[in-house]
mmCIF file of all heavy atoms in Angstrom:
data_model
loop_
_atom_site.group_PDB
_atom_site.id
_atom_site.type_symbol
_atom_site.label_atom_id
_atom_site.label_comp_id
_atom_site.label_asym_id
_atom_site.label_seq_id
_atom_site.Cartn_x
_atom_site.Cartn_y
_atom_site.Cartn_z
ATOM 1 N N MET A 1 0.858 -1.177 0.000
ATOM 2 C CA MET A 1 0.000 0.000 0.000
ATOM 3 C C MET A 1 0.898 1.232 0.000
ATOM 4 O O MET A 1 1.777 1.363 0.832
ATOM 5 C CB MET A 1 -0.894 -0.031 1.243
ATOM 6 C CG MET A 1 -1.677 1.227 1.483
ATOM 7 S SD MET A 1 -2.655 1.201 3.006
ATOM 8 C CE MET A 1 -4.016 0.175 2.514
ATOM 9 N N ASN A 2 0.662 2.102 -0.945
ATOM 10 C CA ASN A 2 1.419 3.347 -1.046
ATOM 11 C C ASN A 2 0.519 4.489 -0.586
ATOM 12 O O ASN A 2 -0.586 4.646 -1.099
ATOM 13 C CB ASN A 2 1.881 3.543 -2.486
ATOM 14 C CG ASN A 2 2.831 4.691 -2.646
ATOM 15 O OD1 ASN A 2 3.281 5.269 -1.667
ATOM 16 N ND2 ASN A 2 3.140 5.029 -3.868
ATOM 17 N N VAL A 3 0.982 5.265 0.381
ATOM 18 C CA VAL A 3 0.175 6.340 0.962
ATOM 19 C C VAL A 3 0.955 7.641 0.897
ATOM 20 O O VAL A 3 2.167 7.668 1.121
ATOM 21 C CB VAL A 3 -0.160 6.034 2.439
ATOM 22 C CG1 VAL A 3 -0.968 7.160 3.049
ATOM 23 C CG2 VAL A 3 -0.892 4.732 2.562
ATOM 24 N N LYS A 4 0.246 8.721 0.592
ATOM 25 C CA LYS A 4 0.872 10.040 0.668
ATOM 26 C C LYS A 4 -0.150 11.040 1.172
ATOM 27 O O LYS A 4 -1.355 10.838 1.067
ATOM 28 C CB LYS A 4 1.470 10.452 -0.664
ATOM 29 C CG LYS A 4 0.518 11.048 -1.651
ATOM 30 C CD LYS A 4 1.267 11.570 -2.874
ATOM 31 C CE LYS A 4 0.509 12.708 -3.507
ATOM 32 N NZ LYS A 4 1.228 13.357 -4.577
ATOM 33 N N VAL A 5 0.358 12.107 1.736
ATOM 34 C CA VAL A 5 -0.480 13.217 2.178
ATOM 35 C C VAL A 5 -0.236 14.349 1.192
ATOM 36 O O VAL A 5 0.902 14.784 1.002
ATOM 37 C CB VAL A 5 -0.121 13.662 3.612
ATOM 38 C CG1 VAL A 5 -0.991 14.831 4.036
ATOM 39 C CG2 VAL A 5 -0.274 12.498 4.591
ATOM 40 N N ASN A 6 -1.303 14.807 0.543
ATOM 41 C CA ASN A 6 -1.134 15.842 -0.480
ATOM 42 C C ASN A 6 -1.238 17.256 0.104
ATOM 43 O O ASN A 6 -1.398 17.442 1.312
ATOM 44 C CB ASN A 6 -2.102 15.618 -1.645
ATOM 45 C CG ASN A 6 -3.552 15.843 -1.294
ATOM 46 O OD1 ASN A 6 -3.893 16.667 -0.447
ATOM 47 N ND2 ASN A 6 -4.446 15.121 -1.945
ATOM 48 N N GLU A 7 -1.167 18.229 -0.781
ATOM 49 C CA GLU A 7 -1.122 19.643 -0.390
ATOM 50 C C GLU A 7 -2.427 20.166 0.215
ATOM 51 O O GLU A 7 -2.479 21.289 0.711
ATOM 52 C CB GLU A 7 -0.735 20.508 -1.593
ATOM 53 C CG GLU A 7 -1.736 20.513 -2.729
ATOM 54 C CD GLU A 7 -1.658 19.305 -3.671
ATOM 55 O OE1 GLU A 7 -0.702 18.515 -3.578
ATOM 56 O OE2 GLU A 7 -2.584 19.158 -4.487
ATOM 57 N N ASP A 8 -3.476 19.347 0.217
ATOM 58 C CA ASP A 8 -4.746 19.766 0.813
ATOM 59 C C ASP A 8 -4.757 19.639 2.340
ATOM 60 O O ASP A 8 -5.703 20.076 2.988
ATOM 61 C CB ASP A 8 -5.906 18.948 0.237
ATOM 62 C CG ASP A 8 -6.148 19.235 -1.237
ATOM 63 O OD1 ASP A 8 -5.828 20.353 -1.687
ATOM 64 O OD2 ASP A 8 -6.657 18.341 -1.931
ATOM 65 N N CYS A 9 -3.702 19.053 2.915
ATOM 66 C CA CYS A 9 -3.633 18.864 4.364
ATOM 67 C C CYS A 9 -3.693 20.207 5.089
ATOM 68 O O CYS A 9 -3.034 21.173 4.704
ATOM 69 C CB CYS A 9 -2.333 18.139 4.724
ATOM 70 S SG CYS A 9 -2.120 17.874 6.500
ATOM 71 N N ILE A 10 -4.500 20.238 6.166
ATOM 72 C CA ILE A 10 -4.607 21.443 6.996
ATOM 73 C C ILE A 10 -4.007 21.227 8.385
ATOM 74 O O ILE A 10 -4.072 22.108 9.238
ATOM 75 C CB ILE A 10 -6.071 21.918 7.114
ATOM 76 C CG1 ILE A 10 -6.951 20.816 7.716
ATOM 77 C CG2 ILE A 10 -6.594 22.380 5.753
ATOM 78 C CD1 ILE A 10 -8.372 21.245 8.052
ATOM 79 N N GLY A 11 -3.449 20.040 8.617
ATOM 80 C CA GLY A 11 -2.799 19.766 9.900
ATOM 81 C C GLY A 11 -3.749 19.560 11.059
ATOM 82 O O GLY A 11 -3.393 19.837 12.198
ATOM 83 N N CYS A 12 -4.934 19.035 10.789
ATOM 84 C CA CYS A 12 -5.912 18.847 11.869
ATOM 85 C C CYS A 12 -5.488 17.742 12.841
ATOM 86 O O CYS A 12 -5.941 17.727 13.980
ATOM 87 C CB CYS A 12 -7.293 18.561 11.309
ATOM 88 S SG CYS A 12 -7.496 16.901 10.619
ATOM 89 N N GLY A 13 -4.660 16.811 12.391
ATOM 90 C CA GLY A 13 -4.157 15.761 13.257
ATOM 91 C C GLY A 13 -5.022 14.518 13.362
ATOM 92 O O GLY A 13 -4.702 13.608 14.114
ATOM 93 N N MET A 14 -6.103 14.468 12.629
ATOM 94 C CA MET A 14 -6.998 13.305 12.687
ATOM 95 C C MET A 14 -6.232 12.025 12.353
ATOM 96 O O MET A 14 -6.326 11.031 13.070
ATOM 97 C CB MET A 14 -8.166 13.490 11.718
ATOM 98 C CG MET A 14 -9.150 12.343 11.709
ATOM 99 S SD MET A 14 -10.184 12.261 13.181
ATOM 100 C CE MET A 14 -11.150 13.730 12.976
ATOM 101 N N CYS A 15 -5.456 12.035 11.282
ATOM 102 C CA CYS A 15 -4.728 10.830 10.879
ATOM 103 C C CYS A 15 -3.659 10.455 11.904
ATOM 104 O O CYS A 15 -3.444 9.269 12.182
ATOM 105 C CB CYS A 15 -4.109 11.004 9.495
ATOM 106 S SG CYS A 15 -2.929 12.367 9.358
ATOM 107 N N ILE A 16 -3.024 11.444 12.480
ATOM 108 C CA ILE A 16 -1.981 11.187 13.480
ATOM 109 C C ILE A 16 -2.597 10.562 14.731
ATOM 110 O O ILE A 16 -2.042 9.627 15.304
ATOM 111 C CB ILE A 16 -1.232 12.488 13.814
ATOM 112 C CG1 ILE A 16 -0.486 12.972 12.569
ATOM 113 C CG2 ILE A 16 -0.279 12.293 14.983
ATOM 114 C CD1 ILE A 16 0.040 14.388 12.666
ATOM 115 N N ASN A 17 -3.746 11.051 15.138
ATOM 116 C CA ASN A 17 -4.433 10.483 16.297
ATOM 117 C C ASN A 17 -4.911 9.057 16.039
ATOM 118 O O ASN A 17 -4.864 8.213 16.924
ATOM 119 C CB ASN A 17 -5.632 11.348 16.707
ATOM 120 C CG ASN A 17 -5.209 12.660 17.305
ATOM 121 O OD1 ASN A 17 -4.145 12.776 17.887
ATOM 122 N ND2 ASN A 17 -6.055 13.667 17.158
ATOM 123 N N MET A 18 -5.361 8.800 14.820
ATOM 124 C CA MET A 18 -5.886 7.484 14.483
ATOM 125 C C MET A 18 -4.791 6.467 14.198
ATOM 126 O O MET A 18 -4.959 5.280 14.490
ATOM 127 C CB MET A 18 -6.814 7.583 13.267
ATOM 128 C CG MET A 18 -8.075 8.360 13.532
ATOM 129 S SD MET A 18 -9.128 8.468 12.075
ATOM 130 C CE MET A 18 -9.782 6.800 12.030
ATOM 131 N N CYS A 19 -3.672 6.916 13.626
ATOM 132 C CA CYS A 19 -2.639 5.986 13.190
ATOM 133 C C CYS A 19 -1.244 6.603 13.371
ATOM 134 O O CYS A 19 -0.555 6.919 12.387
ATOM 135 C CB CYS A 19 -2.897 5.623 11.725
ATOM 136 S SG CYS A 19 -2.008 4.193 11.158
ATOM 137 N N PRO A 20 -0.805 6.777 14.602
ATOM 138 C CA PRO A 20 0.475 7.440 14.859
ATOM 139 C C PRO A 20 1.700 6.656 14.384
ATOM 140 O O PRO A 20 2.787 7.226 14.272
ATOM 141 C CB PRO A 20 0.492 7.611 16.379
ATOM 142 C CG PRO A 20 -0.421 6.549 16.889
ATOM 143 C CD PRO A 20 -1.479 6.390 15.832
ATOM 144 N N ASP A 21 1.530 5.377 14.082
ATOM 145 C CA ASP A 21 2.651 4.591 13.558
ATOM 146 C C ASP A 21 2.936 4.911 12.096
ATOM 147 O O ASP A 21 4.002 4.580 11.582
ATOM 148 C CB ASP A 21 2.382 3.093 13.701
ATOM 149 C CG ASP A 21 2.369 2.644 15.146
ATOM 150 O OD1 ASP A 21 2.986 3.330 15.993
ATOM 151 O OD2 ASP A 21 1.743 1.614 15.438
ATOM 152 N N VAL A 22 1.988 5.554 11.421
ATOM 153 C CA VAL A 22 2.144 5.850 9.989
ATOM 154 C C VAL A 22 2.221 7.343 9.707
ATOM 155 O O VAL A 22 2.898 7.752 8.766
ATOM 156 C CB VAL A 22 1.001 5.203 9.170
ATOM 157 C CG1 VAL A 22 1.093 5.553 7.699
ATOM 158 C CG2 VAL A 22 1.007 3.688 9.352
ATOM 159 N N PHE A 23 1.566 8.161 10.514
ATOM 160 C CA PHE A 23 1.525 9.600 10.252
ATOM 161 C C PHE A 23 2.163 10.388 11.395
ATOM 162 O O PHE A 23 2.088 9.992 12.553
ATOM 163 C CB PHE A 23 0.075 10.067 10.071
ATOM 164 C CG PHE A 23 -0.636 9.413 8.931
ATOM 165 C CD1 PHE A 23 -1.512 8.361 9.153
ATOM 166 C CD2 PHE A 23 -0.429 9.822 7.627
ATOM 167 C CE1 PHE A 23 -2.173 7.741 8.111
ATOM 168 C CE2 PHE A 23 -1.084 9.217 6.566
ATOM 169 C CZ PHE A 23 -1.962 8.167 6.807
ATOM 170 N N GLU A 24 2.757 11.523 11.047
ATOM 171 C CA GLU A 24 3.323 12.443 12.035
ATOM 172 C C GLU A 24 3.251 13.852 11.466
ATOM 173 O O GLU A 24 2.975 14.049 10.284
ATOM 174 C CB GLU A 24 4.776 12.085 12.358
ATOM 175 C CG GLU A 24 5.737 12.331 11.196
ATOM 176 C CD GLU A 24 7.171 11.938 11.502
ATOM 177 O OE1 GLU A 24 7.434 11.384 12.573
ATOM 178 O OE2 GLU A 24 8.032 12.185 10.633
ATOM 179 N N TYR A 25 3.505 14.849 12.328
ATOM 180 C CA TYR A 25 3.558 16.238 11.871
ATOM 181 C C TYR A 25 4.920 16.511 11.238
ATOM 182 O O TYR A 25 5.947 16.043 11.734
ATOM 183 C CB TYR A 25 3.353 17.210 13.035
ATOM 184 C CG TYR A 25 1.941 17.273 13.541
ATOM 185 C CD1 TYR A 25 1.617 16.777 14.798
ATOM 186 C CD2 TYR A 25 0.921 17.835 12.769
ATOM 187 C CE1 TYR A 25 0.316 16.836 15.278
ATOM 188 C CE2 TYR A 25 -0.372 17.886 13.241
ATOM 189 C CZ TYR A 25 -0.671 17.396 14.488
ATOM 190 O OH TYR A 25 -1.957 17.446 14.958
ATOM 191 N N ASP A 26 4.918 17.308 10.180
ATOM 192 C CA ASP A 26 6.182 17.753 9.605
ATOM 193 C C ASP A 26 6.580 19.085 10.245
ATOM 194 O O ASP A 26 5.933 19.557 11.177
ATOM 195 C CB ASP A 26 6.107 17.841 8.073
ATOM 196 C CG ASP A 26 5.187 18.943 7.546
ATOM 197 O OD1 ASP A 26 4.715 19.804 8.332
ATOM 198 O OD2 ASP A 26 4.937 18.962 6.334
ATOM 199 N N GLU A 27 7.644 19.686 9.755
ATOM 200 C CA GLU A 27 8.162 20.930 10.329
ATOM 201 C C GLU A 27 7.208 22.116 10.166
ATOM 202 O O GLU A 27 7.353 23.131 10.840
ATOM 203 C CB GLU A 27 9.535 21.262 9.742
ATOM 204 C CG GLU A 27 9.547 21.496 8.247
ATOM 205 C CD GLU A 27 9.581 20.224 7.404
ATOM 206 O OE1 GLU A 27 9.764 19.113 7.936
ATOM 207 O OE2 GLU A 27 9.389 20.340 6.189
ATOM 208 N N ASN A 28 6.203 21.973 9.288
ATOM 209 C CA ASN A 28 5.228 23.040 9.074
ATOM 210 C C ASN A 28 3.906 22.794 9.801
ATOM 211 O O ASN A 28 2.951 23.538 9.614
ATOM 212 C CB ASN A 28 4.958 23.203 7.575
ATOM 213 C CG ASN A 28 6.191 23.626 6.821
ATOM 214 O OD1 ASN A 28 6.891 24.549 7.239
ATOM 215 N ND2 ASN A 28 6.490 22.953 5.724
ATOM 216 N N GLY A 29 3.856 21.726 10.591
ATOM 217 C CA GLY A 29 2.637 21.416 11.323
ATOM 218 C C GLY A 29 1.599 20.681 10.507
ATOM 219 O O GLY A 29 0.436 20.601 10.904
ATOM 220 N N LEU A 30 2.002 20.140 9.367
ATOM 221 C CA LEU A 30 1.107 19.367 8.514
ATOM 222 C C LEU A 30 1.458 17.892 8.646
ATOM 223 O O LEU A 30 2.542 17.538 9.105
ATOM 224 C CB LEU A 30 1.224 19.825 7.063
ATOM 225 C CG LEU A 30 0.946 21.304 6.824
ATOM 226 C CD1 LEU A 30 1.206 21.665 5.366
ATOM 227 C CD2 LEU A 30 -0.484 21.654 7.213
ATOM 228 N N SER A 31 0.564 17.033 8.235
ATOM 229 C CA SER A 31 0.810 15.598 8.335
ATOM 230 C C SER A 31 1.702 15.109 7.215
ATOM 231 O O SER A 31 1.684 15.642 6.107
ATOM 232 C CB SER A 31 -0.519 14.838 8.279
ATOM 233 O OG SER A 31 -1.300 15.149 9.391
ATOM 234 N N ARG A 32 2.462 14.060 7.533
ATOM 235 C CA ARG A 32 3.266 13.366 6.526
ATOM 236 C C ARG A 32 3.330 11.896 6.917
ATOM 237 O O ARG A 32 3.092 11.531 8.064
ATOM 238 C CB ARG A 32 4.662 13.948 6.420
ATOM 239 C CG ARG A 32 5.537 13.670 7.620
ATOM 240 C CD ARG A 32 6.939 14.120 7.369
ATOM 241 N NE ARG A 32 7.703 14.081 8.628
ATOM 242 C CZ ARG A 32 8.797 14.747 8.826
ATOM 243 N NH1 ARG A 32 9.280 15.523 7.876
ATOM 244 N NH2 ARG A 32 9.435 14.648 9.977
ATOM 245 N N VAL A 33 3.676 11.083 5.941
ATOM 246 C CA VAL A 33 3.816 9.653 6.179
ATOM 247 C C VAL A 33 5.192 9.403 6.772
ATOM 248 O O VAL A 33 6.201 9.877 6.249
ATOM 249 C CB VAL A 33 3.630 8.863 4.866
ATOM 250 C CG1 VAL A 33 3.857 7.388 5.089
ATOM 251 C CG2 VAL A 33 2.241 9.115 4.293
ATOM 252 N N CYS A 34 5.234 8.644 7.863
ATOM 253 C CA CYS A 34 6.506 8.359 8.523
ATOM 254 C C CYS A 34 6.725 6.876 8.742
ATOM 255 O O CYS A 34 7.795 6.467 9.178
ATOM 256 C CB CYS A 34 6.596 9.085 9.863
ATOM 257 S SG CYS A 34 5.401 8.496 11.086
ATOM 258 N N GLY A 35 5.722 6.060 8.475
ATOM 259 C CA GLY A 35 5.836 4.635 8.736
ATOM 260 C C GLY A 35 5.273 3.807 7.604
ATOM 261 O O GLY A 35 4.837 4.330 6.579
ATOM 262 N N ASN A 36 5.256 2.511 7.809
ATOM 263 C CA ASN A 36 4.809 1.569 6.801
ATOM 264 C C ASN A 36 3.295 1.352 6.904
ATOM 265 O O ASN A 36 2.813 0.763 7.871
ATOM 266 C CB ASN A 36 5.561 0.248 6.984
ATOM 267 C CG ASN A 36 5.290 -0.730 5.874
ATOM 268 O OD1 ASN A 36 4.405 -0.537 5.050
ATOM 269 N ND2 ASN A 36 6.045 -1.801 5.848
ATOM 270 N N ALA A 37 2.576 1.799 5.892
ATOM 271 C CA ALA A 37 1.122 1.668 5.884
ATOM 272 C C ALA A 37 0.678 0.215 5.796
ATOM 273 O O ALA A 37 -0.438 -0.121 6.199
ATOM 274 C CB ALA A 37 0.531 2.468 4.733
ATOM 275 N N ASP A 38 1.541 -0.666 5.309
ATOM 276 C CA ASP A 38 1.194 -2.083 5.211
ATOM 277 C C ASP A 38 1.058 -2.734 6.585
ATOM 278 O O ASP A 38 0.468 -3.806 6.697
ATOM 279 C CB ASP A 38 2.240 -2.840 4.390
ATOM 280 C CG ASP A 38 2.188 -2.454 2.919
ATOM 281 O OD1 ASP A 38 1.083 -2.164 2.419
ATOM 282 O OD2 ASP A 38 3.246 -2.433 2.274
ATOM 283 N N ASP A 39 1.599 -2.099 7.617
ATOM 284 C CA ASP A 39 1.499 -2.647 8.966
ATOM 285 C C ASP A 39 0.108 -2.501 9.562
ATOM 286 O O ASP A 39 -0.259 -3.254 10.467
ATOM 287 C CB ASP A 39 2.518 -1.981 9.893
ATOM 288 C CG ASP A 39 3.951 -2.349 9.546
ATOM 289 O OD1 ASP A 39 4.156 -3.369 8.844
ATOM 290 O OD2 ASP A 39 4.855 -1.628 9.991
ATOM 291 N N CYS A 40 -0.661 -1.538 9.083
ATOM 292 C CA CYS A 40 -2.017 -1.318 9.620
ATOM 293 C C CYS A 40 -2.927 -0.734 8.531
ATOM 294 O O CYS A 40 -3.410 0.394 8.657
ATOM 295 C CB CYS A 40 -1.972 -0.423 10.848
ATOM 296 S SG CYS A 40 -1.039 1.101 10.638
ATOM 297 N N PRO A 41 -3.158 -1.480 7.462
ATOM 298 C CA PRO A 41 -3.915 -0.943 6.315
ATOM 299 C C PRO A 41 -5.338 -0.508 6.651
ATOM 300 O O PRO A 41 -5.810 0.492 6.113
ATOM 301 C CB PRO A 41 -3.904 -2.093 5.310
ATOM 302 C CG PRO A 41 -3.625 -3.312 6.108
ATOM 303 C CD PRO A 41 -2.772 -2.870 7.261
ATOM 304 N N ASP A 42 -6.013 -1.241 7.532
ATOM 305 C CA ASP A 42 -7.395 -0.866 7.862
ATOM 306 C C ASP A 42 -7.443 0.477 8.575
ATOM 307 O O ASP A 42 -8.327 1.305 8.311
ATOM 308 C CB ASP A 42 -8.056 -1.937 8.732
ATOM 309 C CG ASP A 42 -8.276 -3.243 7.974
ATOM 310 O OD1 ASP A 42 -8.319 -3.207 6.726
ATOM 311 O OD2 ASP A 42 -8.402 -4.288 8.633
ATOM 312 N N THR A 43 -6.494 0.727 9.459
ATOM 313 C CA THR A 43 -6.458 1.991 10.188
ATOM 314 C C THR A 43 -6.086 3.141 9.256
ATOM 315 O O THR A 43 -6.636 4.235 9.375
ATOM 316 C CB THR A 43 -5.465 1.908 11.362
ATOM 317 O OG1 THR A 43 -5.778 0.765 12.148
ATOM 318 C CG2 THR A 43 -5.543 3.145 12.233
ATOM 319 N N VAL A 44 -5.176 2.894 8.329
ATOM 320 C CA VAL A 44 -4.802 3.920 7.361
ATOM 321 C C VAL A 44 -6.008 4.277 6.495
ATOM 322 O O VAL A 44 -6.272 5.455 6.238
ATOM 323 C CB VAL A 44 -3.607 3.468 6.494
ATOM 324 C CG1 VAL A 44 -3.368 4.427 5.350
ATOM 325 C CG2 VAL A 44 -2.355 3.321 7.346
ATOM 326 N N GLU A 45 -6.746 3.284 6.058
ATOM 327 C CA GLU A 45 -7.940 3.547 5.251
ATOM 328 C C GLU A 45 -8.980 4.330 6.055
ATOM 329 O O GLU A 45 -9.610 5.247 5.526
ATOM 330 C CB GLU A 45 -8.529 2.244 4.736
ATOM 331 C CG GLU A 45 -7.684 1.613 3.649
ATOM 332 C CD GLU A 45 -8.243 0.299 3.139
ATOM 333 O OE1 GLU A 45 -9.424 -0.010 3.404
ATOM 334 O OE2 GLU A 45 -7.487 -0.417 2.459
ATOM 335 N N SER A 46 -9.129 3.999 7.319
ATOM 336 C CA SER A 46 -10.069 4.746 8.174
ATOM 337 C C SER A 46 -9.619 6.192 8.346
ATOM 338 O O SER A 46 -10.441 7.110 8.340
ATOM 339 C CB SER A 46 -10.193 4.071 9.549
ATOM 340 O OG SER A 46 -10.794 2.817 9.434
ATOM 341 N N ALA A 47 -8.322 6.393 8.497
ATOM 342 C CA ALA A 47 -7.789 7.751 8.631
ATOM 343 C C ALA A 47 -8.029 8.544 7.355
ATOM 344 O O ALA A 47 -8.382 9.724 7.412
ATOM 345 C CB ALA A 47 -6.299 7.703 8.967
ATOM 346 N N ALA A 48 -7.857 7.906 6.215
ATOM 347 C CA ALA A 48 -8.098 8.585 4.935
ATOM 348 C C ALA A 48 -9.565 8.984 4.804
ATOM 349 O O ALA A 48 -9.879 10.090 4.350
ATOM 350 C CB ALA A 48 -7.676 7.683 3.776
ATOM 351 N N GLU A 49 -10.451 8.107 5.214
ATOM 352 C CA GLU A 49 -11.884 8.408 5.155
ATOM 353 C C GLU A 49 -12.263 9.517 6.128
ATOM 354 O O GLU A 49 -13.163 10.308 5.854
ATOM 355 C CB GLU A 49 -12.696 7.157 5.457
ATOM 356 C CG GLU A 49 -12.607 6.115 4.370
ATOM 357 C CD GLU A 49 -13.279 4.803 4.741
ATOM 358 O OE1 GLU A 49 -13.971 4.745 5.771
ATOM 359 O OE2 GLU A 49 -13.084 3.835 3.993
ATOM 360 N N ALA A 50 -11.569 9.605 7.260
ATOM 361 C CA ALA A 50 -11.878 10.614 8.279
ATOM 362 C C ALA A 50 -11.278 11.981 7.970
ATOM 363 O O ALA A 50 -11.694 12.978 8.548
ATOM 364 C CB ALA A 50 -11.384 10.141 9.643
ATOM 365 N N CYS A 51 -10.318 12.031 7.062
ATOM 366 C CA CYS A 51 -9.642 13.294 6.748
ATOM 367 C C CYS A 51 -10.642 14.314 6.199
ATOM 368 O O CYS A 51 -11.306 14.057 5.194
ATOM 369 C CB CYS A 51 -8.532 13.055 5.728
ATOM 370 S SG CYS A 51 -7.670 14.572 5.242
ATOM 371 N N PRO A 52 -10.760 15.475 6.839
ATOM 372 C CA PRO A 52 -11.767 16.457 6.411
ATOM 373 C C PRO A 52 -11.480 17.103 5.053
ATOM 374 O O PRO A 52 -12.386 17.657 4.431
ATOM 375 C CB PRO A 52 -11.748 17.506 7.530
ATOM 376 C CG PRO A 52 -10.396 17.387 8.130
ATOM 377 C CD PRO A 52 -10.018 15.936 8.015
ATOM 378 N N THR A 53 -10.247 17.019 4.584
ATOM 379 C CA THR A 53 -9.915 17.625 3.287
ATOM 380 C C THR A 53 -9.538 16.582 2.237
ATOM 381 O O THR A 53 -9.100 16.946 1.145
ATOM 382 C CB THR A 53 -8.756 18.625 3.430
ATOM 383 O OG1 THR A 53 -7.595 17.927 3.896
ATOM 384 C CG2 THR A 53 -9.115 19.760 4.365
ATOM 385 N N ASN A 54 -9.706 15.302 2.567
ATOM 386 C CA ASN A 54 -9.344 14.214 1.640
ATOM 387 C C ASN A 54 -7.893 14.321 1.166
ATOM 388 O O ASN A 54 -7.596 14.087 -0.009
ATOM 389 C CB ASN A 54 -10.299 14.165 0.443
ATOM 390 C CG ASN A 54 -11.712 13.856 0.876
ATOM 391 O OD1 ASN A 54 -11.946 12.929 1.641
ATOM 392 N ND2 ASN A 54 -12.661 14.651 0.406
ATOM 393 N N ALA A 55 -7.008 14.678 2.085
ATOM 394 C CA ALA A 55 -5.604 14.889 1.742
ATOM 395 C C ALA A 55 -4.783 13.601 1.728
ATOM 396 O O ALA A 55 -3.648 13.606 1.255
ATOM 397 C CB ALA A 55 -4.966 15.874 2.727
ATOM 398 N N ILE A 56 -5.340 12.505 2.203
ATOM 399 C CA ILE A 56 -4.603 11.235 2.235
ATOM 400 C C ILE A 56 -4.953 10.441 0.996
ATOM 401 O O ILE A 56 -6.115 10.102 0.769
ATOM 402 C CB ILE A 56 -4.923 10.443 3.511
ATOM 403 C CG1 ILE A 56 -4.555 11.256 4.746
ATOM 404 C CG2 ILE A 56 -4.198 9.103 3.497
ATOM 405 C CD1 ILE A 56 -5.022 10.658 6.042
ATOM 406 N N GLU A 57 -3.935 10.140 0.209
ATOM 407 C CA GLU A 57 -4.109 9.386 -1.022
ATOM 408 C C GLU A 57 -3.526 7.994 -0.830
ATOM 409 O O GLU A 57 -2.400 7.847 -0.374
ATOM 410 C CB GLU A 57 -3.394 10.079 -2.184
ATOM 411 C CG GLU A 57 -3.925 11.472 -2.461
ATOM 412 C CD GLU A 57 -3.168 12.183 -3.565
ATOM 413 O OE1 GLU A 57 -2.426 11.522 -4.319
ATOM 414 O OE2 GLU A 57 -3.305 13.412 -3.663
ATOM 415 N N ILE A 58 -4.334 6.977 -1.176
ATOM 416 C CA ILE A 58 -3.904 5.593 -1.048
ATOM 417 C C ILE A 58 -3.891 4.953 -2.439
ATOM 418 O O ILE A 58 -4.866 5.012 -3.161
ATOM 419 C CB ILE A 58 -4.843 4.793 -0.135
ATOM 420 C CG1 ILE A 58 -4.871 5.390 1.266
ATOM 421 C CG2 ILE A 58 -4.460 3.325 -0.114
ATOM 422 C CD1 ILE A 58 -5.878 4.758 2.197
ATOM 423 N N VAL A 59 -2.754 4.325 -2.751
ATOM 424 C CA VAL A 59 -2.629 3.555 -3.986
ATOM 425 C C VAL A 59 -2.319 2.133 -3.557
ATOM 426 O O VAL A 59 -1.303 1.881 -2.926
ATOM 427 C CB VAL A 59 -1.515 4.094 -4.887
ATOM 428 C CG1 VAL A 59 -1.397 3.252 -6.135
ATOM 429 C CG2 VAL A 59 -1.765 5.559 -5.232
ATOM 430 N N VAL A 60 -3.222 1.226 -3.854
ATOM 431 C CA VAL A 60 -3.048 -0.169 -3.427
ATOM 432 C C VAL A 60 -2.231 -0.931 -4.449
ATOM 433 O O VAL A 60 -2.294 -0.761 -5.602
ATOM 434 C CB VAL A 60 -4.414 -0.846 -3.209
ATOM 435 C CG1 VAL A 60 -4.245 -2.280 -2.765
ATOM 436 C CG2 VAL A 60 -5.228 -0.074 -2.218
#
């Protein structure tokens, strides 16, 4: 599973709260991928669905 956070991120932290093993804040306070999404694909998909700006892109 390939995951990225696009430029629509507003840094709300929803994905980080839901899946801290895969997402973290970058130096600008926005989310970025920091871990292996294959370790918890269901949680990553839930985080993508919960993202208010649809900034998480998943390519299976």
Side-chain angles (χ1 to χ4, degrees):
M1 171 183 283
N2 188 8
V3 179
K4 83 173 208 173
V5 179
N6 68 32
E7 65 279 350
D8 293 333
C9 179
I10 58 172
C12 74
M14 180 73 67
C15 60
I16 295 167
N17 290 332
M18 293 179 74
C19 195
D21 292 336
V22 177
F23 299 100
E24 68 182 5
Y25 287 111
D26 68 10
E27 62 279 351
N28 297 313
L30 303 175
S31 295
R32 70 173 169 200
V33 177
C34 66
N36 187 349
D38 290 327
D39 292 341
C40 50
D42 292 338
T43 307
V44 171
E45 288 179 15
S46 294
E49 291 173 9
C51 178
T53 62
N54 297 312
I56 301 171
E57 299 177 15
I58 299 174
V59 179
V60 180

